[in-house]
Amino acid sequence: MIGLYLIAYSILFFDAKTPHPSFYTLLPIVGVALIIGFASKDELVGKVLGSKPLVLVGLVSYSAYLWHFPLFAFSRREENPSNYDIVELNFLTFILATISYHFIERPFRKKMGRGMFFIFHCPVSLFINRWFVIAKQYEGFAFRYKYQMNLSLDVNEYAQNHKRFAQQIQKKTKFDDQKINVLFVGNSHARDLLSAFYQNRDRLDGFNLRRGNITQISCF
């Protein structure tokens, strides 16, 4: 019962702000260990966890783990799903996991011996490895993007053209002659750094913080 309480507490009271991994991580782990080590089929916890609905969830759990990630990932492409959407996605995950378990996972376990598994595994592994090699050769298939991203910046090139670079910044950045102008140039890391300073702008009255947004270089 203590193990079950620890798991229930973790589910109900842990959220995105709970540090992980940390001491709090031990609570569900110890709870699971207590149940595995001491639970019996004849006791209440064993009967609850051994009930048909929970056993069914356990059987399809691996398939559900595989299905839920792409479903939720694609649902967040435009905007975060609502609570109603999350319920629908969980229901769809369970349906697809049940189908995968009965038509893919169970047949593989029952009919595929070690020899067949080895024969099947080799070409699949070779195909995946070859695909990784091709992806590396074509630099992640950069042609998929609408604009060409320059991921190999030449610092010397920018140093030699610093005048042109400064002129471009000056056209798109407003400076203040009465303050110390601080210019942040870079990708999203520079933007985050500027945001940190801007949130403390009450302590920086003598500074004019600006960001030189003249490039389309992504994070790297």
Side-chain angles (χ1 to χ4, degrees):
M1 291 298 297
I2 294 176
L4 193 61
Y5 288 147
L6 291 175
I7 296 174
Y9 180 87
S10 304
I11 295 174
L12 295 176
F13 296 102
F14 284 8
D15 54 22
K17 298 180 180 179
T18 303
H20 172 77
S22 66
F23 171 80
Y24 297 97
T25 311
L26 288 175
L27 296 182
I29 294 176
V30 172
V32 173
L34 290 174
I35 291 176
I36 295 175
F38 298 100
S40 173
K41 295 181 179 179
D42 300 327
E43 297 176 352
L44 177 61
V45 176
K47 291 180 180 179
V48 171
L49 297 178
S51 61
K52 289 185 178 180
L54 292 183
V55 170
L56 176 61
V57 173
L59 290 175
V60 302
S61 61
Y62 183 70
S63 295
Y65 167 76
L66 297 178
W67 275 111
H68 92 281
F69 185 83
L71 291 177
F72 279 85
F74 279 108
S75 68
R76 294 188 178 97
R77 292 189 63 186
E78 301 297 334
E79 58 184 9
N80 290 330
S82 63
N83 292 332
Y84 181 77
D85 294 331
I86 292 176
V87 173
E88 287 185 327
L89 291 171
N90 282 321
F91 181 75
L92 180 60
T93 298
F94 184 79
I95 295 298
L96 294 174
T98 303
I99 296 174
S100 297
Y101 173 75
H102 285 286
F103 293 97
I104 299 177
E105 190 172 345
R106 285 186 65 184
F108 267 72
R109 288 183 176 182
K110 290 184 178 181
K111 299 180 181 180
M112 181 171 289
R114 293 184 178 180
M116 287 295 297
F117 179 78
F118 181 79
I119 295 174
F120 175 80
H121 183 268
C122 284
V124 173
S125 298
L126 292 174
F127 173 78
I128 294 176
N129 290 331
R130 181 56 183 168
W131 179 257
F132 287 157
V133 171
I134 296 175
K136 184 177 181 180
Q137 290 176 344
Y138 286 89
E139 299 181 349
F141 305 105
F143 54 82
R144 295 177 298 153
Y145 298 100
K146 294 181 180 179
Y147 59 89
Q148 184 68 27
M149 294 185 298
N150 183 15
L151 301 181
S152 56
L153 298 179
D154 188 351
V155 178
N156 294 326
E157 179 182 352
Y158 281 104
Q160 294 171 0
N161 298 285
H162 66 280
K163 292 184 179 180
R164 177 181 56 84
F165 186 63
Q167 291 174 355
Q168 292 178 354
I169 294 176
Q170 190 172 4
K171 291 179 180 179
K172 299 187 178 182
T173 306
K174 295 181 180 179
F175 294 106
D176 189 345
D177 295 335
Q178 304 300 323
K179 296 182 179 181
I180 299 176
N181 296 293
V182 181
L183 180 66
F184 292 79
V185 180
N187 51 24
S188 60
H189 297 288
R191 181 182 58 195
D192 293 340
L193 182 62
L194 173 59
S195 299
F197 278 96
Y198 185 75
Q199 290 176 4
N200 295 275
R201 59 188 179 276
D202 55 330
R203 304 180 183 179
L204 303 169
D205 292 336
F207 295 88
N208 176 37
L209 306 178
R210 310 298 299 180
R211 176 171 180 259
N213 185 18
I214 64 169
T215 59
Q216 290 184 324
I217 304 171
S218 65
C219 295
F220 59 92

